[in-house]
């Protein structure tokens, strides 16, 4: 045991030294190749849309297809009315501004620094934009740069993700060179979150229940 | 290392749990849930034609990671520090606990919300929080339930596997003052409401990490409930506790591991939320604690290094007949099941945990399903050998005398005859002794006495020979 009063080596150094000593018998080797997890099949846009929709619905997500931004605005207004949503929190993104342009200003609350989470918890739904969509799992890859944007994905009881068809990728490997590049950027902060359906648990008797802590509903607005 | 809660005495498993080995309904909830998990997870993996290739690829990456652990840890530290995180290294659980409490005190933390982290169970962090007067709430539903019930988790992925809906209803009635319900939706809603309050008032959030990416300095964390998303973004501070073996060389490998883990861990293609946390979020503070806690000791034994490649999916538990029957608590420490049997002896010492590798029939179901192809049965046999060569409970004086007697009895025909006569006498006598003595009771309670054997083959042969003369 090291003598506490005369620490000559930090824990960091002690750990690293121990590792190096114990691994001294290991011969250096190249890192293994990155395996092809799924082959790229060059899926068409229509095929990807169809796949995305069926996978999303398989994980209890909802899809709203929109022919254009105008159509999307109308469908969002309808969705809010049907669901009786009074307030929509939204991430500051151009597509979110476009989408909510027709909504009364008091219905939309924009993510800002220092936004009180208690206030955010009272929102009816949170609107975020996906950077990429993964067709084979029905996933939306959302870029959250600030804490408030992160909370917008988890606090409100419903989550709306907006994206355009051209953001669809066949699967995770197909999107990964873009994702990896974005992750490696030196000034990248916050998180990427891959959202695949609403929040869920099976911790009680392995019975699936939605909306444990995160949103109970996930709606993806997919614009052509 | 705190050994207060260890119950690894000479006889296998906790005495209270031995019941489950011979009482058919002893642990039905565990059996059923483990069986269901196995079916669900296997159907998702069987659907992939190149599943075995995935396993081999993952094995190679993890082996490389363990073989280059020091370089990768340094790279990870450098890259995540460049993203605003503060990285701390802890050799022992005690040191890690001190660091967490120190961070909490410095930031005047009174309430902590915890995402699931097996490493913090090793540390028994909640006890340290309690001692420091800091309120710490587990937010993963299963962990929340066992925390309320003041029990230890029974499974590394579904901690409350052993609780029925009725058990949960009673728990909420007793601890939260909620009217009794067995309805899953309602019970979950109760937990959601209570935990919301905790999320919104906590000053510190904690998480583990599934993969610590060295080349980009990223924390990859998977979850379904959203509690990790909330725990790490509502409070001003995020503390991530990570076992040093969790480091992955590059983000390029993540698609493989994310899809592997989701399938074997929870039978999903991907979990509801997969977080890639890029260091510190502006306005918040991120601490990363890298914990050794005996993992470097595993490196000393080349045959055991593979046990550090585990990605904590829990699949080996689900398929293990011993785990299903005896339940998670029987393993005496944080990690149950086959993986527990091969790492607990390393992390807390063979002298304390040597019995675990023997509690297996070596059926090999675990190694068939392990996503990183850990050769668990070989690891078990290797540890058994070490357990009889090194000081351990399997190497006690009684053991050594017993084996010496057995060797004596087997080493000559007359000795053998004498020994067998003694056995026949013993069986005849045992009929008159209806009690189950002490530790032997674990063995005798579940068995019928054999019939007294008839004349030995040798004596019958002798008689035949006489008759034929």
């Amino acid at each position: 045991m090291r003598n506490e009063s005369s620490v000559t080596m930090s824990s960091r150094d002690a750990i690293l030294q121990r590792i190096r000593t114990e691994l001294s018998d290991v011969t250096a080797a190249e890192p293994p190749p990155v395996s092809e997890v799924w082959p790229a099949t060059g899926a068409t846009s229509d095929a990807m849309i169809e796949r995305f929709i069926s996978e999303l619905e398989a994980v209890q997500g909802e899809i709203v297809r929109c022919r254009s931004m105008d159509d999307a605005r109308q469908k969002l207004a309808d969705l809010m009315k049907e669901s009786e949503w009074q307030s929509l929190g939204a991430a500051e993104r151009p597509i979110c501004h476009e989408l909510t342009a027709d909504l009364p200003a008091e219905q939309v609350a924009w993510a800002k620094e220092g936004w009180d989470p208690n206030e955010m918890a009272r929102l009816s739904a949170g609107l975020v934009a996906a950077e990429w969509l993964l067709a084979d799992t029905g996933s939306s890859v959302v870029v959250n740069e600030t804490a408030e944007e992160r909370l917008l994905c988890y606090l409100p009881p419903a989550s709306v993700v907006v994206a355009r068809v051209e953001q669809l990728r066949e699967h995770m490997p197909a999107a990964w060179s873009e994702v990896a590049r974005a992750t490696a950027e030196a000034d990248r902060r916050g998180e990427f979150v891959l959202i695949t359906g609403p929040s869920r648990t099976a911790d009680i008797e392995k019975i699936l229940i939605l909306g444990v802590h995160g949103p109970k509903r996930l709606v993806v607005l997919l614009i052509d | 290392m705190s050994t207060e809660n260890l119950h690894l005495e000479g006889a296998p498993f906790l005495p209270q749990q031995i019941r489950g080995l011979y009482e058919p309904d002893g642990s039905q909830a565990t059996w059923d849930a483990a069986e269901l998990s196995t079916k669900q997870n296997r159907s998702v993996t069987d659907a992939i034609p190149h599943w075995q290739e995935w396993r081999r690829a993952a094995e190679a990456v993890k082996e490389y990671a363990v073989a280059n652990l020091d370089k990768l840890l340094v790279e990870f530290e450098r890259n995540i520090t460049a993203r605003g995180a503060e990285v701390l290294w802890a050799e022992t659980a005690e040191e890690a606990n001190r660091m967490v409490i120190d961070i909490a005190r410095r930031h005047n933390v009174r309430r902590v919300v915890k995402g699931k982290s097996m490493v913090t169970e090793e540390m028994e962090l909640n006890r340290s929080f309690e001692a420091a007067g800091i309120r710490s709430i587990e937010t993963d539903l299963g962990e929340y339930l066992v925390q309320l019930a003041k029990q230890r988790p029974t499974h590394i992925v579904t901690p409350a596997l052993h609780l029925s809906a009725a058990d949960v209803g009673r728990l909420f009635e007793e601890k939260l003052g909620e009217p009794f319900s067995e309805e899953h939706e309602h019970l979950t809603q109760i937990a959601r409401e209570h935990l919301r309050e905790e999320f919104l008032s906590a000053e510190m959030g904690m998480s583990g990490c599934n993969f610590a990416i060295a080349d980009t300095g990223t924390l990859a964390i998977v979850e379904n409930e959203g509690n990790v998303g909330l725990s790490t973004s509502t409070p001003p501070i995020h503390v991530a506790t990570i076992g040093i073996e969790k480091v992955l060389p590059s983000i390029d490998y993540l698609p493989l591991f994310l899809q592997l883990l989701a399938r074997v861990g929870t039978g999903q293609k991907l979990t509801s939320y997969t977080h890639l946390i890029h260091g510190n979020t502006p306005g918040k503070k991120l601490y990363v604690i890298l914990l050794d806690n005996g993992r470097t000791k595993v490196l000393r034994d080349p045959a055991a290094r593979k046990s550090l490649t585990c990605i904590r999916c829990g699949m080996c538990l689900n398929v293990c007949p011993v785990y299903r029957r005896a339940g998670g608590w029987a393993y005496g420490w944080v990690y149950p099941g086959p993986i527990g049997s091969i790492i607990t002896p390393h992390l807390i010492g063979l002298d304390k945990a040597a019995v675990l590798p023997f509690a297996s029939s070596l059926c090999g179901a675990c190694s068939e399903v392990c996503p990183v192809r850990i050769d668990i049965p070989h690891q078990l046999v290797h540890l058994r050998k070490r357990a009889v060569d090194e000081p351990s409970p399997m190497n006690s004086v009684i053991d050594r005398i017993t084996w010496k007697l057995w060797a004596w009895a087997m080493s000559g025909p007359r000795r053998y005859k004498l020994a067998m006569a003694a056995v026949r006498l013993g069986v005849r006598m045992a009929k008159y002794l209806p009690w189950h003595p002490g530790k032997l009771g674990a063995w005798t309670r579940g068995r019928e006495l054999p019939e007294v054997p008839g004349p030995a083959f040798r004596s019958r042969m002798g008689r035949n020979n006489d008759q034929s003369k």
Side-chain angles (χ1 to χ4, degrees):
Chain A
M1 281 275 129
R2 282 182 300 121
N3 184 342
E4 286 281 33
S5 63
S6 60
V7 174
T8 48
M9 210 192 288
S10 66
S11 297
R12 177 187 186 276
D13 293 340
I15 293 172
L16 287 172
Q17 187 181 85
R18 250 202 314 276
I19 296 175
R20 285 169 191 142
T21 311
E22 310 299 5
L23 290 178
S24 53
D25 60 319
V26 173
T27 48
E30 283 299 303
V34 177
S35 59
E36 184 194 62
V37 177
W38 293 114
T41 63
T44 61
S45 182
D46 285 340
M48 287 198 288
I49 293 172
E50 216 181 290
R51 182 73 191 271
F52 180 80
I53 292 173
S54 71
E55 292 295 333
L56 177 66
E57 289 178 339
V59 291
Q60 294 82 32
E62 297 162 56
I63 184 83
V64 177
R65 283 204 67 183
C66 314
R67 287 180 305 271
S68 63
M69 181 52 82
D70 279 331
D71 187 29
R73 287 195 196 105
Q74 183 58 52
K75 295 226 160 86
L76 177 62
D78 293 341
L79 178 64
M80 289 185 69
K81 195 150 163 239
E82 277 161 34
S83 317
E84 292 174 5
W85 291 346
Q86 277 103 41
S87 55
L88 188 69
E92 289 273 11
R93 296 285 187 283
I95 193 174
C96 296
H97 277 282
E98 274 187 71
L99 185 63
T100 56
D102 288 347
L103 294 175
E106 61 272 15
Q107 270 190 348
V108 186
W110 294 97
K112 58 185 186 292
E113 200 183 323
W115 201 1
D116 180 11
N118 288 285
E119 226 183 276
M120 291 183 70
R122 288 193 286 270
L123 295 163
S124 310
L127 172 67
V128 294
E131 198 67 30
W132 303 278
L133 297 175
L134 309 178
D136 78 330
T137 48
S139 307
S140 310
V141 187
V142 177
V143 174
N144 292 323
E145 289 171 352
T146 66
E148 290 77 18
E149 284 176 4
R150 291 176 70 182
L151 287 172
L152 205 51
C153 292
Y154 315 122
L155 269 178
S159 188
V160 181
V161 176
V162 62
R164 294 197 155 90
V165 157
E166 60 248 29
Q167 288 162 286
L168 270 168
R169 301 287 178 271
E170 201 181 341
H171 41 50
M172 205 190 289
W176 209 250
S177 58
E178 294 168 88
V179 176
R181 201 178 318 129
T183 305
E185 284 165 12
D187 52 359
R188 175 68 56 189
R189 300 285 182 276
E191 67 165 356
F192 294 165
V193 59
L194 283 70
I195 302 179
T196 311
S199 142
R200 69 196 59 227
T201 184
D203 271 347
I204 306 176
E205 291 179 342
K206 298 288 293 176
I207 305 290
L208 181 66
I209 304 288
L210 300 179
V212 194
H213 302 299
K216 198 164 176 154
R217 274 183 84 186
L218 174 72
V219 182
V220 177
L221 253 65
L222 185 59
I223 307 176
D224 281 349
Chain B
M1 164 97 49
S2 158
T3 54
E4 268 173 52
N5 293 301
L6 286 177
H7 303 280
L8 298 162
E9 287 129 1
F13 303 130
L14 294 174
Q16 307 94 281
Q17 301 307 314
I18 289 166
R19 266 193 4 256
L21 290 170
Y22 60 87
E23 266 179 21
D25 59 4
S27 48
Q28 198 59 40
T30 305
W31 185 287
D32 289 342
E35 173 120 23
L36 183 59
S37 293
T38 302
K39 284 207 178 83
Q40 284 174 348
N41 301 358
R42 288 207 85 145
S43 71
V44 183
T45 60
D46 288 345
I48 301 171
H50 43 291
W51 177 246
Q52 297 306 327
E53 284 160 46
W54 280 17
R55 290 177 76 210
R56 270 180 242 278
E59 180 187 18
V61 174
K62 271 294 198 169
E63 279 185 342
Y64 174 84
V66 170
N68 293 275
L69 203 53
D70 56 320
K71 297 193 250 331
L72 293 174
L73 285 169
V74 169
E75 193 185 347
F76 171 72
E77 177 192 45
R78 183 178 66 240
N79 286 323
I80 203 168
T81 303
R83 294 186 193 280
E86 190 174 325
V87 179
L88 304 165
W89 302 61
E91 284 187 87
T92 62
E94 284 88 30
E95 200 181 336
N97 282 330
R98 277 200 301 276
M99 284 173 176
V100 176
I101 302 297
D102 183 55
I103 293 169
R105 288 222 168 95
R106 262 189 284 139
H107 295 274
N108 293 316
V109 171
R110 283 182 308 276
R111 186 182 310 222
V112 178
V113 281
K114 280 190 75 243
K116 207 154 141 51
S117 164
M118 299 310 296
V119 154
T120 58
E121 314 250 359
E122 280 180 51
M123 287 157 60
E124 299 200 4
L125 179 60
N126 285 338
R127 287 172 154 249
S128 294
F129 276 134
E130 216 180 296
I134 298 171
R135 182 180 162 82
S136 165
I137 308 289
E138 295 288 343
T139 61
D140 173 277
L141 181 59
E143 294 284 352
Y144 178 60
L145 294 174
V146 295
Q147 185 180 45
L148 278 181
K150 294 205 196 312
Q151 293 172 341
R152 299 201 126 220
T154 47
H155 190 285
I156 65 179
V157 173
T158 27
L161 206 64
H162 59 292
L163 293 177
S164 66
D167 289 333
V168 178
R170 277 188 285 275
L171 190 62
F172 283 172
E173 190 180 31
E174 195 192 313
K175 305 282 176 156
L176 302 177
E178 298 279 348
F180 178 82
S181 165
E182 268 183 291
E183 233 254 320
H184 292 83
E185 280 269 4
H186 185 66
L187 292 172
T188 309
Q189 183 64 24
I190 293 174
R192 183 191 169 95
E193 281 162 16
H194 281 265
L195 285 167
R196 265 293 141 128
E197 284 173 38
E198 309 283 354
F199 287 127
L200 292 170
S201 50
E203 293 101 359
M204 183 161 118
M206 295 194 65
S207 78
C209 175
N210 294 98
F211 306 104
I213 310 295
D215 68 346
T216 53
T218 307
L219 304 178
I221 309 178
V222 308
E223 58 149 346
N224 275 307
E225 299 181 14
N227 64 305
V228 172
L230 286 170
S231 300
T232 60
S233 37
T234 24
I237 304 161
H238 171 196
V239 178
T241 46
I242 312 180
I244 54 175
E245 85 283 21
K246 288 301 192 71
V247 66
L248 267 193
S250 165
I251 189 135
D252 296 337
Y253 298 120
L254 212 47
L256 172 66
F257 281 94
L258 289 176
Q259 300 197 61
L260 209 63
L261 181 58
R263 281 174 168 79
V264 282
T266 45
Q268 300 172 284
K269 290 185 185 170
L270 272 185
T271 54
S272 295
Y273 304 105
T274 300
H275 305 274
L276 302 185
I277 297 177
H278 312 293
N280 197 31
T281 301
K284 309 264 185 182
K285 186 108 177 70
L286 171 64
Y287 292 93
V288 174
I289 300 180
L290 296 171
L291 180 63
D292 177 351
N293 209 25
R295 286 154 173 76
T296 47
K297 269 193 259 159
V298 184
L299 292 175
R300 188 175 307 157
D301 183 352
R305 281 178 198 156
K306 240 172 128 56
S307 57
L308 284 182
T309 61
C310 173
I311 62 174
R312 304 286 191 266
C313 71
M315 197 55 177
C316 57
L317 278 70
N318 292 334
V319 297
C320 178
V322 176
Y323 168 83
R324 286 185 185 187
R325 196 66 163 138
W329 296 326
Y331 293 78
W333 200 53
V334 174
Y335 301 102
I339 189 62
S341 297
I342 65 172
I343 61 174
T344 305
H346 290 292
L347 298 187
I348 67 162
L350 207 53
D351 56 326
K352 292 191 202 72
V355 68
L356 289 177
F358 288 86
S360 162
S361 61
L362 299 179
C363 74
C366 51
S367 58
E368 273 179 33
V369 296
C370 176
V372 289
R373 292 168 47 97
I374 299 176
D375 52 342
I376 300 175
H378 289 107
Q379 297 283 331
L380 291 166
V381 170
H382 173 71
L383 282 169
R384 291 181 185 189
K385 171 122 194 13
R386 280 188 57 184
V388 299
D389 288 344
E390 298 168 29
S392 87
M394 307 312 287
N395 201 14
S396 64
V397 175
I398 304 241
D399 278 277
R400 276 182 266 145
I401 290 175
T402 308
W403 287 116
K404 279 219 156 55
L405 278 175
W406 186 89
W408 179 88
M410 296 295 135
S411 56
R414 264 188 296 208
R415 299 176 188 182
Y416 181 77
K417 216 167 147 182
L418 188 66
M420 288 303 111
V423 165
R424 275 203 292 283
L425 183 67
V427 171
R428 251 186 270 249
M429 298 291 298
K431 270 209 298 211
Y432 302 103
L433 303 166
W435 43 269
H436 303 285
K439 284 180 179 168
L440 213 51
W443 195 76
T444 61
R445 252 184 238 112
R447 287 170 173 78
E448 297 287 334
L449 264 182
E451 291 291 310
V452 178
F457 177 74
R458 284 170 286 106
S459 56
R460 264 189 272 152
M461 271 304 291
R463 258 182 261 142
N464 282 347
N465 280 340
D466 289 342
Q467 281 169 3
S468 65
K469 279 199 185 111

